[in-house]
Amino acid sequence: KLGMAFKKDENFGEWYSEVVVNSEMIEYYDISGCYILRPWAMEIWELLKEFFDAEIKKLKLKPYYFPLFVTENVLQKEKDHIEGFAPEVAWVTKSGKSDLEAPIAIRPTSETVMYPYFSKWIRSHRDLPLKCNQWCNVVRWEFSNPTPFIRSREFLWQEGHTVFATKEEADEEVLQILELYRRIYEEFLAVPVYKGRKSEMEKFAGGLYTTSVEAFIPNTGRGIQGATSHCLGQNFAKMFDITFENEKGERSMVWQNSWAYTTRSIGVMVMTHGDDKGLVLPPRVAPIQVIVIPVPFKDADTTAIKGACESTVYTLNQAGIRADLDARENYSPGWKYSQWEMKGVPLRIEIGPKDLANKQVRIVRRDNGAKVDIPSTDVVEQVGALLEGIQANLLETAKQKRDACIKTISTWDEFIGALNDKKLILAPWCDEEEVEKDVKARTKGELGAAKTLCTPFDQPDLPAGTVCFASGKPAQKWSFWGRSY
Ligand SMILES: O=C1CCCN[C@@H]1CCCn1cnc2cc(F)c(Cl)cc2c1=O
Ligand SMILES: [Mg+2]
């Protein structure tokens, strides 16, 4: 069966589940919140990883792999680090029929796994900076509605954990990594994001401050954290006794960062670009950028047509373009068009007897359906230009849709109105946590409460005398508010 049963603008949740399955990214699994990531998803993950890993290697990050398991007493090391998270920790309590002496946790994140060894490895300033990154899975036994890529009980991520002698070095790296996350979203996934700082209430409790890139899903009117880069300050140095002897022979505590992005990024891309024909892939993350399909005609020379298709694929591959041939005999061209549209392949090339005779190929764009006939000799240049055009068009279109959802407000009534209109709200705020808590309390409901998403680095000017939309006190900053994933 082909085609979508649900429409994006009518049944977003069902549409999304259908797209990730029909495009062969996801297979549902018999444990709730767990999903099988199939090649069409893993190849995207690998393309993102290729970029990010190369970039952090330039920053001198070293690859590590720490154990999946952490003992109870180490995990509990610091109450406030894991307060509130305890219910989502998964525990191993038995092996075979026998109970383990002490339960062992499966890592939900790796601070407590790594930092005792950072303490052991770091003695002198010569051991700094320490730059550790691992690509792995983590488990968080969440109970809120599981969603493929977006919220799952196991997910893939990279987690960077770095250690510096000075706060200045840490502060600088936090922003370098955040810029890489922006690039992942805007340059690869074609998803617009805002860089900003989390509030004291929303930040990572164990850290000093949290920065993030924030996306927005217009269909649900919800913000979504794309990736996060924390400065941990010296909090974990204190917890885990990570100190070093500086040049003057004094013992000092280190400054640390930690940062991550996850397979959630793939789900954000699906939600942003998908349409009622299925997935729409940005070329820079498309496992197949061009699918070439022979269009045989009753007595036409099918061998010649197939030959033309094969040489087109070869020529494109030689130019570094990810092209493939769909020469399956048991499917009609029309069926193939629908299937590759469902999988979101950016370009389709059709070659039939007429095209062969005219020494041309027909190219069809997935993003806007445009068809163009081009001379076979120009195929590499034209395909390259079209792929760049699609990449840019997807980002621009997504930016316009997101910007159309932004509502700048100044009063409580306007805030509630915008919230009900599924807007991304930009509001003047007094920056008091009590007020943030109060807004959460006053907007509680089945759709979830409103919260601060981030305080964007790029601040509009705040006229003197502007008051906080919720408290009426003098506003200190503009912040993004809204419901979120
Ligand atoms: O976000 C990152 C970047 C990469 C490394 N980690 C930090 C903070 C992670 C917060 N966090 C997030 N979720 C958690 C869930 C848990 F069950 C426990 Cl015990 C702890 C946490 C927890 O600390
Ligand atoms: Mg969580």
Side-chain angles (χ1 to χ4, degrees):
K1 170 190 88 49
L2 257 188
M4 296 284 295
F6 294 103
K7 294 206 177 315
K8 186 177 186 182
D9 292 337
E10 290 168 15
N11 295 292
F12 185 73
E14 291 87 350
W15 169 86
Y16 177 75
S17 298
E18 203 183 1
V19 168
V20 297
V21 169
N22 288 5
S23 62
E24 299 174 318
M25 293 178 119
I26 289 277
E27 183 69 58
Y28 276 74
Y29 190 61
D30 66 346
I31 298 173
S32 171
C34 297
Y35 307 94
I36 298 166
L37 301 183
R38 302 177 68 185
W40 207 243
M42 281 309 287
E43 287 169 324
I44 293 173
W45 182 244
E46 289 179 348
L47 285 166
L48 293 175
K49 178 173 177 183
E50 192 181 350
F51 162 73
F52 189 79
D53 211 47
E55 287 301 318
I56 59 174
K57 283 205 166 38
K58 291 178 194 168
L59 295 174
K60 304 280 176 270
L61 268 293
K62 293 298 176 195
Y64 287 73
Y65 186 78
F66 282 80
L68 174 70
F69 305 107
V70 52
T71 60
E72 187 168 14
N73 63 317
V74 168
L75 187 76
Q76 316 273 357
K77 183 83 186 178
E78 176 59 21
K79 287 287 163 279
D80 80 3
H81 165 221
I82 77 153
E83 46 82 29
F85 287 128
E88 61 190 60
V89 178
W91 295 93
V92 178
T93 58
K94 295 162 70 87
S95 81
K97 291 200 177 327
S98 50
D99 291 345
L100 297 189
E101 265 147 55
I104 291 172
I106 297 175
R107 67 181 168 221
T109 181
S110 298
E111 283 80 2
T112 57
V113 177
M114 293 175 168
Y115 297 173
Y117 299 93
F118 286 11
S119 174
K120 181 178 181 204
W121 295 333
I122 295 168
R123 290 274 163 267
S124 132
H125 60 88
R126 286 181 208 84
D127 302 319
L128 295 176
L130 183 147
K131 298 188 172 184
C132 153
N133 183 72
Q134 70 175 5
W135 292 92
C136 66
N137 64 329
V138 285
V139 172
R140 297 173 185 176
W141 217 255
E142 309 221 16
F143 290 88
S144 48
N145 51 323
T147 309
F149 298 119
I150 300 296
R151 198 180 6 260
S152 53
R153 285 174 159 170
E154 176 188 13
F155 55 86
L156 307 181
W157 74 352
Q158 57 62 226
E159 49 179 323
H161 295 263
T162 51
V163 191
F164 301 96
T166 66
K167 182 177 187 298
E168 289 67 32
E169 291 168 284
D171 289 339
E172 181 188 25
E173 191 212 49
V174 166
L175 297 180
Q176 287 174 315
I177 299 299
L178 197 67
E179 169 60 8
L180 292 181
Y181 291 147
R182 181 200 65 75
R183 293 184 62 192
I184 281 182
Y185 275 90
E186 297 195 339
E187 295 178 10
F188 284 80
L189 299 169
V191 172
V193 291
Y194 282 106
K195 285 182 180 175
R197 189 159 164 158
K198 288 286 186 188
S199 69
E200 282 308 290
M201 186 165 94
E202 294 300 331
K203 78 175 186 184
F204 171 30
L208 181 60
Y209 63 84
T210 292
T211 69
S212 65
V213 286
E214 299 289 335
F216 184 77
I217 308 297
N219 288 74
T220 53
R222 287 177 181 275
I224 185 162
Q225 182 179 288
T228 183
S229 181
H230 313 284
C231 177
L232 308 180
Q234 298 179 306
N235 300 351
F236 283 88
K238 234 166 274 157
M239 260 189 250
F240 289 91
D241 186 29
I242 311 174
T243 61
F244 69 102
E245 197 175 277
N246 64 18
E247 285 89 340
K248 289 171 266 165
E250 301 149 343
R251 245 160 72 86
S252 307
M253 275 195 292
V254 300
W255 291 87
Q256 291 175 270
N257 293 338
S258 75
W259 28 269
Y261 84 98
T262 78
T263 36
R264 159 181 283 196
S265 55
I266 298 173
V268 176
M269 179 272 291
V270 172
M271 290 182 165
T272 300
H273 304 305
D275 64 15
D276 289 339
K277 289 181 174 175
L279 194 53
V280 177
L281 289 176
R284 293 192 72 179
V285 294
I288 297 174
Q289 296 170 312
V290 188
I291 189 74
V292 180
I293 298 172
V295 187
F297 199 66
K298 42 182 180 292
D299 59 353
D301 183 348
T302 43
T303 313
I305 289 171
K306 188 171 177 193
C309 291
E310 282 161 348
S311 68
T312 303
V313 169
Y314 177 79
T315 307
L316 289 169
N317 288 337
Q318 288 302 96
I321 292 166
R322 297 187 288 273
D324 213 343
L325 169 67
D326 181 354
R328 292 173 293 172
E329 310 280 346
N330 53 333
Y331 291 103
S332 72
W335 199 95
K336 296 178 185 180
Y337 299 166
S338 302
Q339 190 189 29
W340 293 108
E341 285 169 355
M342 181 68 75
K343 290 175 74 72
V345 170
L347 289 176
R348 165 174 92 231
I349 288 182
E350 304 166 11
I351 301 181
K354 193 174 45 48
D355 307 302
L356 202 60
N358 301 342
K359 292 193 184 344
Q360 63 185 39
V361 298
R362 161 152 297 189
I363 307 184
V364 185
R365 288 176 59 150
R366 175 65 181 88
D367 63 332
N368 63 13
K371 295 181 193 308
V372 63
D373 293 331
I374 60 132
S376 313
T377 49
D378 290 356
V379 76
V380 169
E381 191 190 328
Q382 288 291 325
V383 162
L386 283 166
L387 291 173
E388 280 166 28
I390 292 168
Q391 187 76 33
N393 176 45
L394 289 175
L395 176 61
E396 188 48 40
T397 304
K399 214 168 252 180
Q400 284 169 14
K401 279 184 190 158
R402 190 257 334 249
D403 292 350
C405 294
I406 296 176
K407 187 94 174 82
T408 303
I409 58 102
S410 47
T411 70
W412 178 259
D413 289 348
E414 287 171 355
F415 178 80
I416 294 298
L419 204 56
N420 296 337
D421 286 349
K422 296 188 180 179
K423 296 295 180 188
L424 173 56
I425 300 162
L426 189 57
W429 177 35
C430 61
D431 198 15
E432 291 187 13
E433 192 163 322
E434 281 318 303
V435 174
E436 205 172 354
K437 287 198 173 87
D438 184 46
V439 172
K440 260 192 175 175
R442 292 163 73 182
T443 56
K444 247 195 346 273
E446 73 191 40
L447 286 175
K451 59 199 264 196
T452 57
L453 302 167
C454 78
T455 294
F457 292 159
D458 187 3
Q459 282 283 303
D461 74 302
L462 189 64
T466 305
V467 295
C468 173
F469 76 99
S471 70
K473 295 178 179 175
Q476 303 296 326
K477 56 181 46 168
W478 288 97
S479 297
F480 279 119
W481 296 71
R483 293 195 174 92
S484 75
Y485 281 88

